[in-house]
C-alpha cells in the first residue's frame, strides 16, 4: 500500500508519502507558529515514518510557509531524520550560496544528507535556439549538464559542499516501481537574480571586514543567528523567493505516479479533536488515474510561462492526472484555466492547502468555481481538515477491502470570493 498525506498545517504546506518503504516529503512549513508545525512533525514521526530517514526531501522554494519546519524535521544536534536525497530548484551558481545559508540557518549538517539533486530550469527538447526561447536567460550554465561548480568553489566562495554529493536531475525512479518528474521554471527578469549576486557580494564584504578568506572561517566568527539574519534579509529582497506583492513566480513542481496498474482512493477527514487520528477515515472517491501534481507556488498566469509548463505536462503527464495541488494555495494570481484540460470531469480532484484566517483570499472563489463547472472535486486542507489518499495495486483485493469504510462525511466546498458555502455529501 502507498499512502500520501497533506498535513493540516494552516497557511503553509507539508506533504508526505510512503511508497512501500520509501519515504518522501515535499515542503515542510507554515506561517502559523512554529510549534504548530512541530506538532505535526512529531505526528509524522510517530504515525507515518518510524524509519528515521526521509529518502527524498523536495523543497519547492525558500518561503517561510514552505520551509519553517526544516529545523525540527532534519536540523539540530539530534535531527529527527536523515535525508537520502535533498531536491531543490537550481537557477545559477550563486543560488548554491542561498542553499548553504539555508542549511546553516536551520542548523542542518550536510553530513546528514547523502545526495543533493539540483533541478535546472526546464528546456524543451526541441528548442535549440537559446535567444528565441521563452526563458529570460540563455547562459549555458542554466541548461547544460556541465555542472558549474568545481571542488566546492562557487563564484569565488568556498561553500565546503562536497561536489560528489551534488548532481542535476529532471526525473528519478524508486526502483522500477514509481516515477518522479521535476519541473522548474525561472523568474521573470534578471533583477531577480541580481539580488543573489548582491548576496554573494555582501558575504564577500563580510569576509574582508573580518579578515578571513574562507566562508567556514567567517561562519565560525559571526555565528548562526547572524547568518540567519542575512538569510532572512535576502529572502525579503529576492522577488522569486519573497512575499512582496504576493509574487510567487518560481517553484519546483513534482509529478509522481506508480509504474504499475493501480487504483487511487481519497480519504478526507475533519479534525474534530487534538486526537483526530482516533477517528475512522471516510472514503470520498476512487479513481482510475494515479498521477499527482505538486505545484508549490508557481505562477502560471502568464501565457508564455504556461506554454512552457504545458509542454512539460504533455511530455510527462499526458492523461494520467488524478490529483492537482493548486498553485500558491489556490490563488487566482497564479492560476491558468488551461490546467483544466488536464483534469477529467468526475474523475480528478484538486486540493488547496491554506490557513482559514489567511488574508490573501486563498483559495480564491473564482478558481473553485472553474473547477466546479468542470465537475472537478475540490478538497480543502486547513486547520480543520486534513487530506489523505492511497494508491494500491488493482489486483490486490485484500488491500482494497481494508480501505473500505461504512462512514460518510460532509465535504465542505466553498470559496473566499463571496464567503458562500455549499455542502455536498458523498
Amino acid at each position: 500500500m502507498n499512502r500520501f498525506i497533506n498535513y493540516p498545517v494552516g497557511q503553509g504546506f507539508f506533504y508526505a508519502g510512503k511508497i512501500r518503504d520509501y519515504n518522501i516529503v515535499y515542503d515542510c512549513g507554515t506561517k502559523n507558529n512554529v510549534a504548530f508545525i512541530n506538532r505535526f512533525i512529531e505526528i509524522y514521526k510517530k504515525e507515518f515514518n518510524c524509519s528515521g530517514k526521509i529518502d527524498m526531501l523536495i523543497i519547492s522554494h525558500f518561503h517561510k510557509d514552505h520551509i519553517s519546519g526544516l529545523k525540527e524535521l532534519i536540523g539540530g544536534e539530534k535531527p529527527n531524520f536523515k535525508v537520502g536525497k535533498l531536491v531543490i530548484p537550481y537557477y545559477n551558481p550563486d543560488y548554491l550560496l542561498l542553499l548553504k545559508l539555508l542549511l546553516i540557518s536551520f542548523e542542518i549538517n550536510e553530513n546528514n544528507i547523502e545526495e543533493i539533486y539540483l533541478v535546472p530550469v526546464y528546456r524543451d527538447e526541441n528548442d535549440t535556439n537559446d535567444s528565441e526561447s521563452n526563458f529570460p536567460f540563455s547562459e549555458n550554465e542554466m541548461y547544460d549538464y556541465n555542472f558549474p561548480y568545481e571542488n566546492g568553489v562557487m563564484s569565488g566562495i568556498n561553500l565546503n559542499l562536497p561536489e560528489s554529493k551534488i548532481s542535476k536531475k529532471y526525473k528519478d525512479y524508486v526502483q522500477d516501481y514509481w516515477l518522479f518528474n521535476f519541473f522548474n521554471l525561472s523568474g521573470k527578469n534578471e533583477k531577480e537574480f541580481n539580488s543573489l549576486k548582491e548576496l554573494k557580494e555582501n558575504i564577500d564584504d563580510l569576509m574582508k571586514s573580518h579578515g578571513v578568506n574562507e566562508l567556514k572561517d567567517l561562519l565560525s566568527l559571526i555565528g548562526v543567528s547572524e547568518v540567519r539574519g542575512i538569510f532572512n534579509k535576502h529572502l525579503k529582497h529576492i522577488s522569486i523567493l519573497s512575499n512582496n506583492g504576493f509574487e510567487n513566480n518560481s517553484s519546483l513542481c513534482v509529478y509522481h505516479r506508480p509504474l504499475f496498474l493501480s487504483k487511487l482512493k481519497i480519504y478526507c477527514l475533519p479534525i474534530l479533536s487534538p486526537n483526530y487520528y482516533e477517528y475512522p477515515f471516510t472514503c470520498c472517491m476512487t479513481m482510475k488515474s494515479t498521477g499527482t501534481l505538486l505545484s508549490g507556488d508557481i505562477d502560471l498566469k502568464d501565457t508564455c510561462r504556461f506554454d512552457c509548463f504545458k509542454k512539460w505536462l504533455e511530455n510527462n503527464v499526458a492523461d494520467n492526472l488524478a490529483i492537482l495541488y493548486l498553485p500558491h494555495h489556490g490563488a487566482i494570481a497564479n492560476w491558468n484555466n488551461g490546467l483544466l484540460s488536464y483534469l477529467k470531469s468526475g474523475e480528478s480532484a484538486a486540493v488547496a492547502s491554506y490557513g482559514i484566517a489567511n488574508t490573501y483570499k486563498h483559495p480564491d472563489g473564482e478558481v473553485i468555481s472553474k473547477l466546479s463547472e468542470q465537475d472537478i472535486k475540490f478538497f480543502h486542507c486547513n486547520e480543520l481538515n486534513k487530506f489523505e489518499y492511497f494508491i494500491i495495486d488493482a489486483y490486490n483485493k485484500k488491500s482494497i477491502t481494508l480501505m473500505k469504510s461504512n462512514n460518510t462525511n460532509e465535504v465542505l466546498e466553498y470559496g473566499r470570493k463571496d464567503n458562500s458555502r455549499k455542502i455536498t455529501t458523498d
Side-chain angles (χ1 to χ4, degrees):
M1 180 176 64
N2 308 287
R3 180 185 177 194
F4 304 89
I5 182 168
N6 192 184
Y7 286 97
V9 296
Q11 190 68 19
F13 205 82
F14 181 18
Y15 174 94
K18 181 182 286 292
I19 301 168
R20 291 182 176 171
D21 293 324
Y22 191 92
N23 289 284
I24 69 164
V25 168
Y26 179 88
D27 286 348
C28 182
T30 182
K31 280 195 172 182
N32 294 36
N33 189 289
V34 68
F36 189 71
I37 195 166
N38 287 353
R39 169 184 169 236
F40 287 103
I41 292 172
E42 186 64 22
I43 291 173
Y44 169 73
K45 181 180 178 181
K46 290 182 177 179
E47 306 284 345
F48 197 95
N49 182 1
C50 303
S51 70
K53 181 178 180 179
I54 298 170
D55 297 282
M56 184 185 295
L57 171 59
I58 307 163
I59 304 300
S60 66
H61 61 303
F62 293 163
H63 275 179
K64 176 185 176 182
D65 58 333
H66 291 257
I67 63 172
S68 64
L70 289 183
K71 181 179 178 180
E72 180 68 17
L73 189 70
I74 61 171
E77 292 184 5
K78 296 181 179 180
N80 281 307
F81 296 96
K82 292 184 177 181
V83 178
K85 301 170 183 175
L86 174 63
V87 187
I88 65 168
Y90 171 73
Y91 303 101
N92 61 28
D94 291 338
Y95 199 75
L96 292 175
L97 179 58
L98 202 60
L99 168 63
K100 182 69 176 183
L101 295 183
L102 169 75
L103 296 177
I104 297 168
S105 297
F106 288 98
E107 300 176 28
I108 300 169
N109 189 331
E110 291 112 42
N111 294 327
N112 196 41
I113 302 170
E114 295 175 5
E115 296 180 84
I116 298 175
Y117 284 0
L118 304 179
V119 181
V121 173
Y122 174 78
R123 186 183 187 189
D124 183 17
E125 295 177 356
N126 298 320
D127 182 9
T128 58
N129 189 339
D130 288 345
S131 62
E132 295 300 320
S133 74
N134 292 329
F135 304 110
F137 299 101
S138 60
E139 292 96 326
N140 289 334
E141 67 183 27
M142 299 290 287
Y143 308 118
D144 65 23
Y145 284 87
N146 296 319
F147 187 59
Y149 172 81
E150 297 180 358
N151 301 319
V153 177
M154 177 282 303
S155 301
I157 295 178
N158 191 332
L159 296 179
N160 300 111
L161 290 172
E163 184 184 2
S164 60
K165 280 190 176 184
I166 302 176
S167 59
K168 290 187 178 182
K169 289 283 183 178
Y170 283 106
K171 65 175 58 177
D172 197 23
Y173 293 89
V174 177
Q175 300 174 352
D176 293 326
Y177 188 68
W178 213 273
L179 168 68
F180 288 86
N181 263 304
F182 307 116
F183 176 85
N184 181 23
L185 191 60
S186 66
K188 293 181 178 179
N189 57 64
E190 193 169 359
K191 291 181 180 179
E192 297 172 344
F193 293 96
N194 284 339
S195 294
L196 286 171
K197 294 179 181 179
E198 181 184 344
L199 172 59
K200 174 186 170 293
E201 292 170 357
N202 286 355
I203 295 294
D204 277 333
D205 292 340
L206 273 175
M207 288 196 296
K208 291 177 182 177
S209 66
H210 285 81
V212 297
N213 297 317
E214 294 283 343
L215 181 61
K216 64 179 180 179
D217 296 328
L218 174 67
L219 298 176
S220 67
L221 293 174
I222 66 176
V224 173
S225 60
E226 191 169 343
V227 173
R228 189 178 293 120
I230 296 170
F231 179 73
N232 291 333
K233 172 187 174 183
H234 280 273
L235 285 188
K236 293 178 180 179
H237 290 91
I238 299 171
S239 62
I240 61 171
L241 304 170
S242 74
N243 287 322
N244 298 335
F246 309 118
E247 287 190 65
N248 284 269
N249 299 328
S250 303
S251 271
L252 177 58
C253 301
V254 181
Y255 170 75
H256 69 81
R257 66 174 177 83
L259 298 172
F260 60 90
L261 182 62
S262 55
K263 287 186 178 180
L264 183 149
K265 285 179 175 284
I266 291 179
Y267 295 75
C268 188
L269 180 69
I271 300 173
L272 305 176
S273 81
N275 299 315
Y276 66 90
Y277 276 94
E278 297 176 0
Y279 290 82
F281 290 112
T282 298
C283 185
C284 296
M285 59 194 301
T286 301
M287 299 178 175
K288 295 180 180 178
S289 297
T290 55
T292 299
L293 178 56
L294 299 157
S295 61
D297 284 355
I298 193 169
D299 177 10
L300 297 173
K301 194 78 169 179
D302 177 77
T303 301
C304 239
R305 293 171 63 80
F306 183 72
D307 285 345
C308 179
F309 189 67
K310 185 167 67 173
K311 289 179 182 178
W312 177 77
L313 287 175
E314 291 170 351
N315 290 333
N316 298 288
V317 176
D319 61 348
N320 188 354
L321 181 56
I323 297 176
L324 168 67
Y325 277 87
L326 298 179
H328 198 192
H329 316 283
I332 188 64
N334 297 58
W335 172 257
N336 192 301
N337 288 333
L339 288 168
L340 294 170
S341 63
Y342 297 92
L343 299 170
K344 299 177 182 178
S345 297
E347 297 183 25
S348 297
V351 187
S353 177
Y354 66 96
I356 289 177
N358 81 82
T359 59
Y360 312 117
K361 298 183 178 179
H362 296 163
D364 194 277
E366 185 176 340
V367 175
I368 297 176
S369 295
K370 293 293 183 183
L371 294 167
S372 178
E373 289 170 7
Q374 193 163 312
D375 192 24
I376 304 301
K377 190 73 172 178
F378 177 73
F379 293 94
H380 300 257
C381 182
N382 52 38
E383 292 91 337
L384 297 179
N385 297 275
K386 74 167 184 172
F387 180 77
E388 185 165 2
Y389 62 99
F390 298 80
I391 298 178
I392 44 187
D393 193 322
Y395 294 114
N396 190 340
K397 303 297 182 183
K398 183 177 180 181
S399 293
I400 294 177
T401 302
L402 289 173
M403 294 302 105
K404 285 184 178 179
S405 171
N406 294 324
N407 294 0
T408 59
N409 176 61
E410 290 184 329
V411 180
L412 188 63
E413 294 191 323
Y414 70 98
R416 295 303 185 88
K417 188 174 182 180
D418 55 8
N419 291 324
S420 62
R421 299 191 175 197
K422 176 185 177 183
I423 302 294
T424 62
T425 303
D426 290 303

